[in-house]
Amino acid sequence: MSSEHLLEPDLKDFFLSMPPLTLSREQMPAIREAREKMAMEQMPPLPPEVSIVQEMAPGRDGAPDVRMKIYRTPSDRKDRPAILHLHGGGYVLGSPESNAPQHCAWAKGMDAVVIAPAYRLAPETAFPGNVEDAYAALAWVYRNAEQLGIDTSRIAVAGESAGGGLAAALALLVRDRKEYSFCFQYLIFPMLDDRTTIRADLSPMFGEFVWDREKNRFGWTALLGQAPGGHDVSPYAAAARADDLSGLPPAFISTGAMDLFTEEDLDYARRLMAAGVPVEMHVYPGAPHGFMWVAGARVTKQFARDAREALARGIGAA
């Protein structure tokens, strides 16, 4: 049964014309190269008033250094908020450069310092490489906060899709290690639960477009280094596995109603609220995974307003 009839009218042309994509270990280098090339070719000019520099954070426990892009506007302020942004891509694709327009918008519009690490991707690096890279980037931010003009009480973690799942997992790891802290979680259709890959009761109205069950199984298998859905998966790999969600920072969670992750995202939001964590949750009708790629769509504009307002409040930049 197709969910095509549920698509918002101004999303239909884009999503119905998308070419199929099959992920495989052998093809990953070529797929990554093609996607990055396309992203760079389609990228609009970036605002010249935003400085973009590259830094390296020392890896943890002998791991490789973590490459990061830092976005900020010139300022003498010492109390600016910061956003640690983790890119999406199913844990197997993506780079911080592909999100440069969003990073610049946050830096310019919220006077925030945006840190975007290039965490190691699967299957070449399985868990916990990705979350340890993100943790190393956060440690670097804390060590360099004064130089960057960052108020460490106003650091948010953010991400979309796998980046949202990684952001949620990092928030758990930060809570449990008790070395640092986040003030806010910004989770956009986060990829939270490997057990979605083995669910037999999931409606076909979820996940027909872009990120489907086959891609989801590939992504989780690559990250975990084993078949997903087992009994021994760490919550720092799949945040939905955490038994205790108390003590986490306030969260903004959003998803499209046609997204494969809709049910796991709704359940995570419910569990956060039950644990006493403030949550703002949005589900956008007629929207599949990645719906905001259609910038002019009504639902994208609504999401952009909701998300920006929530993030600005979360970091005290409203």
Side-chain angles (χ1 to χ4, degrees), residues 43-95:
M43 187 169 295
L46 301 178
E49 59 268 37
V50 176
S51 165
I52 306 173
V53 299
Q54 182 164 293
E55 299 283 358
M56 303 295 291
R60 284 179 55 86
D61 301 325
D65 290 351
V66 181
R67 184 177 66 84
M68 304 172 296
K69 286 296 181 74
I70 314 296
Y71 301 76
R72 57 177 175 159
T73 57
S75 174
D76 294 328
R77 289 182 56 189
K78 298 298 182 183
D79 62 345
R80 289 200 283 186
I83 302 166
L84 180 67
H85 181 256
L86 304 166
H87 67 78
Y91 298 118
V92 298
L93 299 166
S95 74

Side-chain angles (χ1 to χ4, degrees), residues 191-212:
M191 184 175 173
L192 298 165
D193 197 342
D194 65 296
R195 293 167 296 189
T196 297
T197 63
I198 61 171
R199 285 186 59 174
D201 63 336
L202 197 67
S203 168
M205 298 301 105
F206 301 127
E208 180 178 357
F209 297 96
V210 183
W211 193 255
D212 56 24

